[in-house]
Amino acid sequence: MMSGAREQPGSATAFEGLVDHYDAGRPWYPPALYDALPDLSGRVLELGAGTGIATRELAARAGGLVATDLGPKMLGRLHERSPQVPVAVCRAEQLPFATGSFDVVCGGQMWHWVDTSRATNEAARVLRRGGALAVWWNEVDADGLPWWDAQQDRLEAANPRYTRRYRERDYAAELAPVFPRVQTWSTRWVRTVDWPTYERWLRSKSYVQALPDVESFLEEERASLAQAFPDGRIVEPFRVSLWVARTA
Ligand SMILES: C[S@@+](CC[C@H](N)C(=O)[O-])C[C@H]1O[C@@H](n2cnc3c(N)ncnc32)[C@H](O)[C@@H]1O
């Protein structure tokens, strides 16, 4: 059974009010991720491109790239930074592109937002025969570290719709009815940031914005991280995971 739209711990449109925080605090993706993507030398469509964190790297590799997002403000920031990339405001579930017009459809940190059934069929429609859909996520890979476990405990207690595993799904099984061949890949990487950057990352999360008292949560986080990282250098371990699905 393919799933449709799912309940989320935050709002998909919340990002429209978070562009500056998003731009300043969100993690990037390691170079190995771009090397693991399908051949980008043809026509590439990016879905849910946001402020363009991945777009900047994709643009350097793609034969032709179009970036899309449902949010005009997120996409506006992308356009400021990458004016050479054509953009279109649209949902992954209803793409304003001709059938068979792309070699690769891709998106980072966004596929969990879509109505899976509609977006999967729409991606397959705009791909040429043999084309690939590639979706990927950064996840903090810090289970067992006290600062991380404490943060996640606080979030789960304060936002009843949030669970630390909310993006963990069987994406291969969801895609399989339309994309019979699904391959996965992942790697670990680390970034080190200061508190102002980390705070902006927290503020850029839709499920943090959905908390009843964002400022108290951030104050507790600041104290917890100051204890865990007394030199002020917050070390975040990540795992980036990729699913590549091909049409028949
Ligand atoms: C967490 S952000 C990821 C942005 C960017 N891909 C990145 O890696 O930083 C999720 C993005 O998906 C967009 N989005 C959410 N639901 C969408 C949908 N159904 N169709 C297209 N974009 C969507 C949001 O507007 C937001 O910009």
Side-chain angles (χ1 to χ4, degrees):
M1 274 283 284
M2 293 189 62
S3 58
R6 292 175 182 243
E7 189 182 46
Q8 299 286 341
S11 156
T13 52
F15 297 106
E16 285 294 271
L18 302 173
V19 172
D20 289 336
H21 293 314
Y22 203 101
D23 214 13
R26 281 274 166 157
W28 53 92
Y29 304 104
L33 180 270
Y34 300 99
D35 294 340
L37 290 175
D39 178 7
L40 299 173
S41 62
R43 297 152 299 166
V44 179
L45 173 64
E46 187 184 3
L47 305 174
T51 57
I53 293 171
T55 314
R56 295 189 274 283
E57 300 296 328
L58 294 170
R61 293 166 170 81
L65 175 66
V66 179
T68 64
D69 198 285
L70 66 73
K73 290 185 181 154
M74 292 290 270
L75 214 46
R77 179 60 54 87
L78 181 155
H79 182 63
E80 280 169 28
R81 293 186 175 277
S82 304
Q84 79 283 13
V85 177
V87 294
V89 175
C90 61
R91 291 182 169 266
E93 297 85 349
Q94 193 171 12
L95 298 170
F97 304 108
T99 298
S101 52
F102 291 97
D103 300 289
V104 174
V105 173
C106 65
Q109 221 78 15
M110 58 72 59
W111 193 258
H112 60 288
W113 285 109
V114 304
D115 179 320
T116 309
S117 177
R118 292 175 59 211
T120 304
N121 281 297
E122 194 60 343
R125 183 186 68 75
V126 301
L127 279 170
R128 68 160 169 81
R129 196 174 170 80
L133 169 67
V135 291
W136 65 89
W137 286 263
N138 265 328
E139 297 289 355
V140 177
D141 188 21
D143 283 356
L145 296 181
W147 67 270
W148 171 253
D149 290 344
Q151 177 191 111
Q152 296 303 300
D153 289 347
R154 270 196 290 278
L155 280 168
E156 286 175 348
N159 180 347
R161 288 191 297 155
Y162 177 78
T163 123
R164 67 195 76 188
R165 308 264 178 249
Y166 82 101
R167 284 189 298 241
E168 281 184 20
R169 291 170 19 195
D170 190 346
Y171 294 106
E174 292 176 15
L175 293 165
V178 177
F179 291 91
R181 289 182 293 148
V182 181
Q183 291 178 307
T184 58
W185 171 93
S186 75
T187 195
R188 292 192 163 100
W189 68 286
V190 173
R191 78 167 181 170
T192 302
V193 293
D194 57 14
W195 166 252
T197 304
Y198 195 87
E199 180 188 2
R200 298 198 85 169
W201 185 37
L202 290 174
R203 287 188 188 276
S204 80
K205 294 169 188 258
S206 62
Y207 54 82
V208 168
Q209 292 301 334
L211 296 176
D213 187 346
V214 175
E215 299 310 317
S216 296
F217 169 74
L218 291 172
E219 194 47 44
E220 283 179 90
E221 274 308 298
R222 194 187 59 74
S224 165
L225 291 169
Q227 201 172 25
F229 301 100
D231 66 357
R233 291 161 51 82
I234 300 165
V235 179
E236 294 183 280
F238 287 97
R239 175 180 286 280
V240 61
S241 300
L242 167 70
W243 281 253
V244 177
R246 292 189 185 274
T247 57

